[in-house]
Each structure stands twice: as structure tokens, then as C-alpha cells.
Amino acid sequence: MKIINKIFLISCTLVALSCNDYLVEEPPTFISASNFWNTAVDGRTGVDGVYEQLYDVHNRWWATIDEYTDDQVNRSDSDYGRHTLKPTDQMFERFGNYREWWIGIGRANVAIKNVPAIDMDETERNSLLGEARALRALYYYNLVRNFGDMPQLTEPVSVAADYQKSRVSAETIYDEIIIPDLQYAEQHCNDELHSGRITMWTAKLLLAEVYLTRAGWRMTSQGDKIQGDAANWALARDKAKEIMDNSPHSLNTEADVDGVVHTPAFGVAWLDDHPFTPESMLELSYVQTLGLGNWMSRESNPIADGRSYWGETTDTPLSDEGIDQTVAQMRFAGRPPGVGRYIPTPDLYDAFEPDDERRDWSIMTRYDDNEGRTFLCQPTFRKYIDIAYYLGGEGTSFQYTNSNLILYRYADALLIYAEAQNEADGSPNTAAYSAVNEIRNRAGLTDLTTGMSQSEFRDAVLQERRVELHGEFKRKNDLKRTDRLVTETTDINLDWTTAQGSLTDYTRVGGFYYNNRPAWPDHEWLWPIPQSEMDLNKEFGWVQNVGYGAAE
């Protein structure tokens, strides 16, 4: 059983936490400290419970980060697509955005408070604290990037005064919580490959990305667009270089060949039978158990079969190969329901170079299995798919898929180094070229041309980040910190044509968004604070993020 599956089964029985919002009148708590936090096993179990909020019940809050960028759209109309977001939208009040990260912070604070008093090995104790603090940093990091200013809570909530806090600036949260927590974690977490828990190398990678983010542009909750301190470029460069030089991690370089099923080396990390490869540095593992499975296979399939992209349902597009089945007959046997909440754009398809091995694996439109069956679908993110469920494997359903989500991996470190070194030093050095070329060569591409200017190399790295890290919840934040959110999401290609392998011209995105394509407004660099939170905290001076109106 994968290590995180064990974490879930333990933490779900021993950790009690309210399902309501974190900042509420009846604050959620762990089991009484006097009855629980007594042994090393208790400490391990309690910290394991902090991980649970990375998963959420439906996982929707990770992928919504990139929705309606140039990489990813939703086939349904929505306020998000229209750029008319409101604090009452269900993506904030229902789907776990905001709330789940705060629950994670609450659990982390309880663990950080109670683990030091446990009579246990000091090294093990410090490692547990490092994991809890790294997780708290990660939850806060996602909150400030997506919601702006946050209340500063570092103690368990036990009485009303503990949560009756004003919001403080995102910069304060970075300086006083996120960076110190990650610095502690990099010093005290285990020096090992990632197998489901935070390691010192995970903490260093998170810290490198934090520095990268702080060097770039951001929008404050007050509506001011500001650029961070350029000194952060060198900090990001040096932290990423530590991982490259000293960590046990590396890129996966061997393809996986299983009969006719060929997975390029790039895609191996997402195979169900290859969890926690040496490339993986923060991976979310799921189990085929109600409430613990990954729902992304359900969320990301654009429609029930391959119609439009492959022709009409009665067409036989593969007759030249001797396959006389119709589009409808070549529907995946598992019958994914076609929710189409997270689907790739043809603009992303076009971003790949023609010989890039990542493109046709990443944007799945066809699957041939070892039983001689061929299945067709509209363009679908392969990284999100449990192929066993799609193939109709015994005991699988959209609620019981165990395909993992990868949040961070060694490729992140290489690309962070390349970008930060170029910015810190004014031009790319040999190591920066090598870092990018290592990724390109694995994808079957040639080296970057040497002699690039700083701006040319900057564009090349951002391009490489797009095609390498697509579907890993980084595109929107990349566009924000490089101040390209508006330019890169305006007039993008939303029409699938024969140039992208489609047999017909069609669009797979809601009619309103497709016909109007409003520019990304500056205030939507940040999401609104959920209205329920504004209502609860109005008396403590909370003011809604600019552009979303005042709390009533």
C-alpha cells in the first residue's frame, strides 16, 4: 500500500476536524492534546493528518488555479470564464478553495504546538515538526498567491480570540511564516527520496519557488501591481542549485514499454504502477476507497466519446487501419461521464514543437491497449487520467481512481534554476542551458541555441515551463509573476482544426466565453475572499479584495 494511503486510513480514524469553515464561531480542533499527543506514534499520526488537506474530497481546488488560462478551459459557461467572479461563487463556497488550505493550517498549528512535548527521539521529533511547518508554509503560500492578504494564525484555535484576527499583508506572511517554516524544514526533514512525505529536498524546492515568486510581479489585495525584490532571483538560483548538485533526485529518462503501450520517459511518473519515481518531489497518492479516490478522471474528460474531434458518432475514422468501428463504438469502456471541467486548449497543443514527444502523450485523443482495442476521445489531459478506470477495469469508477497528482518534481528545480540564474546574473550561463537542455533532450528535442540574450532566454524558459509543467497547476501563477496574464490569455486559439489532428473544426468551450473572450481583468489576479468569511470577520476590519465589492 502506498505510504499516503496508510496516512489516510490512520488519520481519518484518529483525527477529528469539523467540516465547516476554519474561521468560524465553533473552531475545529484535534482530539484533546492530553489524550492524544503522548507518544512518537501519536506524533507521526498527528502530522500525517496535516497532509490530508492537500487532497480535498474532489481535488477541484488544484486544477481551478489554471482554469481559463491559455492552457486550460471549461466546456461550460461560468462566472470564471466570463471574468465576472463573485465572492459567493460555489468554487469558493462549496468546492474547497480557501477552506481546505485553512483547515490544513489549523491542523499544522496543532501539531507544531504539541509535538515538542512528546518524549521521543530528538531527530525524529524535529523531522515531524519540519514536515508540519513545511505543510503550513505550503498552505499559506497558496492562500497568499491566490487570495492576497491573510490573517496570521500560528497557534491552535481554542477560544474566539484565537481566530479574531485582522488580515495582514502577504509580504508579512512570507517573511514571518512561509520562509521561516521552509527554512526549518530544509534543515530538519529527512534527507531521502520522496515517498509521500515532505523531505528536506521538497522543502528546498518549495523555498526556491517561493523566492522565484517573490522576485516577480503580484497584485496586492488593495489593487496595486508591484514587482518583488530582485535579490530573490539569486536566492532562488542558489536554492535550486543545491537540489541539482546534492539531492538524490533526477529526471526519469527511460520510457516504459508494455506491449503496444508506449509511455515516453516524461510520462512515466504518472503511471499507476510507477508511484514516487526519483523525479517526484511532492506527489499526492490516492486509493480506490470512497472519499479517498481521485476524481480528476471524471472532471477532465471533455465529453462521453470522441465525437467532433474524430468526426460524427457514426463515422469510422480509422478505416484506413482496418478498424471499421464507429466513433461511438470506440468510446472508452469505462464510460467516463464527460464532465469537461479541465480540458486542454488547442493553443497549448500549438505551443509544443512538432517533434516534442510530450505533446501527443500529454493531450490524449487515442489509446490502444494490449488487448488490441482502440479507444478515441476528445483532447484530454493524460496527467489527470486513471487509465484503468477509462478502460473499464474491474472495481473502478470515477470515485475510486488511484491516479496520483504531482505537485512538484525535479524538473521544477531545473527550470527554476535556469530562469533565476538568467535574471540574477544578466544572461544565461552554461549550467542554465544544460538544465533546460536536459529536459528538452528527454522530450526528443535538440539543445537551445547558445548565445541567447537575457530576454530571449527568459522567453525560452517560460515556454519550456509551459510545455513541461502543463497540468501541474503552475501556468496562471507563472503568467502573473511575469506580468503576462493578460497578453497570454487574450485571443488564444480555441478552435481545434486539422492542424491539431482534428477531423473537423470545433470548439470545446462554453459559448459565451468562446464568442466574447473578455480580457483578464487586473482584479482577478486574486480571487475574492469567500463571502461567508467576509460576513464572519467584518467586525475585525476585513475588507474585500479590490474589484469584488465590500462585504455586506
Side-chain angles (χ1 to χ4, degrees):
M1 182 183 291
K2 298 174 186 176
I3 191 168
I4 291 295
N5 299 345
K6 296 178 182 178
I7 290 171
F8 264 131
L9 297 178
I10 294 171
S11 66
C12 287
T13 58
L14 295 182
V15 181
L17 190 64
S18 167
C19 292
N20 297 323
D21 290 348
Y22 180 67
L23 302 178
V24 295
E25 297 298 331
E26 296 292 337
T29 61
F30 276 120
I31 294 171
S32 170
S34 62
N35 295 325
F36 178 71
W37 299 91
N38 296 314
T39 68
V41 173
D42 293 341
R44 177 71 271 170
T45 301
V47 172
D48 284 349
V50 183
Y51 284 90
E52 189 175 351
Q53 298 315 118
L54 287 176
Y55 297 77
D56 190 31
V57 67
H58 295 162
N59 327 112
R60 289 170 171 166
W61 44 287
W62 285 115
T64 53
I65 292 173
D66 280 346
E67 200 162 82
Y68 289 105
T69 60
D70 48 350
D71 280 7
Q72 176 184 297
V73 290
N74 185 330
R75 74 180 177 92
S76 301
D77 289 330
S78 68
D79 287 340
Y80 204 3
R82 295 183 180 96
H83 293 304
T84 55
L85 275 180
K86 299 182 294 294
T88 54
D89 283 348
Q90 65 176 350
M91 67 179 290
F92 309 114
E93 297 286 13
R94 176 184 173 191
F95 289 159
N97 300 76
Y98 188 88
R99 180 186 66 238
E100 301 299 332
W101 284 320
W102 267 115
I103 294 175
I105 289 169
R107 292 186 174 191
N109 285 341
V110 173
I112 293 165
K113 177 73 171 182
N114 288 286
V115 166
I118 298 175
D119 183 14
M120 60 185 296
D121 177 78
E122 182 179 4
T123 299
E124 183 181 0
R125 180 196 299 117
N126 290 338
S127 180
L128 288 177
L129 286 171
E131 290 178 44
R133 291 186 65 171
L135 288 166
R136 181 172 68 178
L138 179 58
Y139 293 133
Y140 259 121
Y141 178 46
N142 282 294
L143 281 166
V144 297
R145 283 194 298 173
N146 292 291
F147 293 96
D149 298 347
M150 286 289 117
Q152 188 172 0
L153 273 69
T154 57
E155 295 289 332
V157 170
S158 58
V159 297
D162 292 334
Y163 69 85
Q164 295 173 345
K165 306 284 188 180
S166 300
R167 295 169 72 190
V168 302
S169 73
E171 293 303 301
T172 298
I173 299 296
Y174 276 117
D175 290 336
E176 298 186 11
I177 298 178
I178 296 172
I179 290 176
D181 277 356
L182 291 174
Q183 288 174 333
Y184 183 92
E186 69 170 332
Q187 293 297 318
H188 295 289
C189 287
N190 291 336
D191 178 1
E192 60 189 8
L193 285 170
H194 176 67
S195 60
R197 295 187 175 112
I198 301 286
T199 71
M200 66 180 291
W201 303 108
T202 311
K204 287 180 184 293
L205 181 54
L206 290 171
L207 192 53
E209 191 190 71
V210 165
Y211 291 140
L212 193 77
T213 298
R214 294 199 80 189
W217 291 89
R218 71 178 183 90
M219 188 71 66
T220 70
S221 291
Q222 295 73 39
D224 298 317
K225 187 188 293 186
I226 61 175
Q227 187 170 21
D229 187 344
N232 285 292
W233 291 121
L235 296 174
R237 175 200 63 198
D238 296 345
K239 195 58 59 179
K241 195 66 163 58
E242 287 182 39
I243 299 166
M244 294 164 59
D245 290 346
N246 302 315
S247 82
H249 291 278
S250 60
L251 291 184
N252 299 324
T253 57
E254 296 295 326
D256 183 86
V257 180
D258 178 16
V260 302
V261 180
H262 179 276
T263 303
F266 160 79
V268 166
W270 286 273
L271 297 181
D272 291 349
D273 56 353
H274 287 70
F276 306 116
T277 67
E279 187 166 346
S280 175
M281 297 185 71
L282 184 54
E283 180 170 335
L284 310 185
S285 179
Y286 294 87
V287 59
Q288 289 177 251
T289 301
L290 185 62
L292 305 181
N294 187 341
W295 280 42
M296 288 300 289
S297 290
R298 171 187 183 271
E299 299 290 289
S300 57
N301 182 234
I303 202 166
D305 55 34
R307 76 187 71 167
S308 296
Y309 185 89
W310 287 100
E312 301 300 324
T313 56
T314 56
D315 289 346
T316 55
L318 303 181
S319 56
D320 289 347
E321 300 178 25
I323 300 175
D324 294 326
Q325 288 181 303
T326 66
V327 170
Q329 290 171 330
M330 287 186 281
R331 174 181 178 177
F332 271 103
R335 295 188 171 271
V339 174
R341 186 169 177 85
Y342 312 121
I343 54 180
T345 65
D347 197 79
L348 174 60
Y349 182 99
D350 288 342
F352 291 91
E353 295 171 54
D355 296 329
D356 195 328
E357 295 178 6
R358 294 170 291 193
R359 184 187 68 187
D360 293 338
W361 184 89
S362 299
I363 301 178
M364 183 176 71
T365 59
R366 172 176 176 167
Y367 189 88
D368 297 295
D369 73 3
N370 284 327
E371 297 179 24
R373 300 178 299 177
T374 295
F375 302 96
L376 304 179
C377 62
Q378 291 190 352
T380 301
F381 280 120
R382 178 64 179 87
K383 290 178 179 178
Y384 294 161
I385 300 307
D386 183 338
I387 203 67
Y389 159 55
Y390 267 45
L391 295 176
E394 183 178 356
T396 63
S397 80
F398 74 81
Q399 295 174 306
Y400 301 104
T401 63
N402 65 354
S403 53
N404 290 359
L405 293 182
I406 299 176
L407 300 185
Y408 290 93
R409 52 195 176 92
Y410 184 69
D412 285 274
L414 294 175
L415 292 170
I416 289 171
Y417 173 78
E419 180 178 354
Q421 183 279 318
N422 181 53
E423 299 296 344
D425 300 333
S427 62
N429 65 14
T430 300
Y433 276 108
S434 295
V436 177
N437 289 336
E438 186 175 351
I439 291 172
R440 288 178 57 81
N441 294 163
R442 179 175 68 168
L445 300 176
T446 59
D447 289 350
L448 291 177
T449 302
T450 58
M452 286 183 172
S453 67
Q454 183 185 41
S455 63
E456 289 171 337
F457 192 77
R458 178 187 299 131
D459 291 343
V461 173
L462 189 62
Q463 156 68 13
E464 205 61 40
R465 285 185 63 87
R466 184 183 187 188
V467 294
E468 175 71 19
L469 304 177
H470 69 273
E472 296 178 50
F473 328 118
K474 295 182 171 69
R475 181 60 175 170
K476 183 182 176 185
N477 284 313
D478 278 353
L479 293 178
K480 288 193 298 186
R481 65 179 180 77
T482 58
D483 197 17
R484 303 184 185 203
L485 184 58
V486 173
T487 58
E488 295 298 324
T489 59
T490 300
D491 295 328
I492 65 171
N493 177 23
L494 294 173
D495 295 304
W496 289 96
T497 68
T498 55
Q500 293 90 29
S502 175
L503 298 185
T504 61
D505 294 347
Y506 83 105
T507 184
R508 188 66 274 166
V509 68
F512 185 95
Y513 182 78
Y514 175 70
N515 292 323
N516 292 271
R517 305 189 202 182
W520 205 296
D522 280 348
H523 73 273
E524 285 192 14
W525 278 46
L526 295 177
W527 286 332
I529 302 298
Q531 189 61 46
S532 60
E533 293 299 316
M534 295 301 301
D535 292 341
L536 283 168
N537 294 283
K538 183 177 180 180
E539 62 182 291
F540 308 120
W542 284 35
V543 176
Q544 183 59 268
N545 291 338
V546 164
Y548 297 107
E552 299 177 354

